[in-house]
Amino acid sequence: SWAPGGMEANKPESGDEVTLSTDAETEKLYEVLITTYELTETERDLIERVVMAEAGGECVTGQKAVAKCILNACLITGKRPDRVIDEFQYTANRSDPSEDVIAAVSAVFDCGESVIDDDVLFFYNPDYETSPWHEAQEYVCTIGNHRFFKKG
């Protein structure tokens, strides 16, 4: 089981008090306590299909960033993925996901992995459209062909 400094202990739960003695231990704890989000099988399938349609042609980092937008929207709004996907107007295309997309969604939702430090919520591909609305939000970064934003 995981423990700072290699000591035997159970994985800490959110809100547990943990004493750390080094920056490396702090970093390891941070990685463990990053938000994970339990999905139903139906939600997982939906998210994988949306990420495939939105970013299937992008690098895995770009796929994870799109999945992170969905996760952040769920956490910020308190709504489940199906509502977020509808309300945030993700594509209606539902492509079969690749193995990379399945792994990217799992990394973000199951393991709490994040490729962007900011709480990104929005993205678009300027190769396919112009979006003054997106550009009015706070720009964070570009990954592949997508520009990512947080609420401005």
Side-chain angles (χ1 to χ4, degrees):
S1 63
W2 179 89
M7 299 177 301
E8 285 300 316
N10 293 325
K11 177 179 169 185
E13 298 294 324
S14 182
D16 283 355
E17 187 174 326
V18 178
T19 303
L20 305 171
S21 60
T22 68
D23 288 339
E25 289 174 351
T26 302
E27 176 114 2
K28 181 82 169 175
L29 179 63
Y30 176 74
E31 289 172 12
V32 169
L33 294 180
I34 289 175
T35 302
T36 59
Y37 191 94
E38 191 169 330
L39 296 170
T40 67
E41 192 173 313
T42 301
E43 290 170 335
R44 181 175 304 280
D45 181 66
L46 175 62
I47 293 167
E48 290 169 350
R49 289 174 180 278
V50 168
V51 171
M52 183 67 190
E54 294 282 7
E58 297 291 329
C59 62
V60 173
T61 301
Q63 295 167 0
K64 289 177 183 177
V66 168
K68 184 67 173 179
C69 286
I70 297 170
L71 173 60
N72 287 342
C74 290
L75 296 172
I76 289 168
T77 66
K79 296 177 182 175
R80 297 302 298 179
D82 59 330
R83 295 273 314 274
V84 163
I85 287 167
D86 182 51
E87 291 177 18
F88 280 62
Q89 301 178 355
Y90 288 95
T91 183
N93 296 332
R94 300 294 186 259
S95 308
D96 289 337
S98 67
E99 291 301 315
D100 283 346
V101 166
I102 291 169
V105 169
S106 177
V108 170
F109 281 84
D110 302 335
C111 302
E113 189 174 323
S114 183
V115 295
I116 302 173
D117 290 335
D118 290 294
D119 289 334
V120 290
L121 285 172
F122 316 111
F123 65 91
Y124 82 104
N125 184 336
D127 291 344
Y128 292 107
E129 63 183 317
T130 58
S131 181
W133 183 87
H134 281 95
E135 294 298 333
Q137 306 305 309
E138 187 175 338
Y139 172 76
V140 174
C141 68
T142 298
I143 300 174
N145 295 315
H146 288 103
R147 290 174 56 84
F148 291 87
F149 303 84
K150 60 184 180 178
K151 193 166 182 72

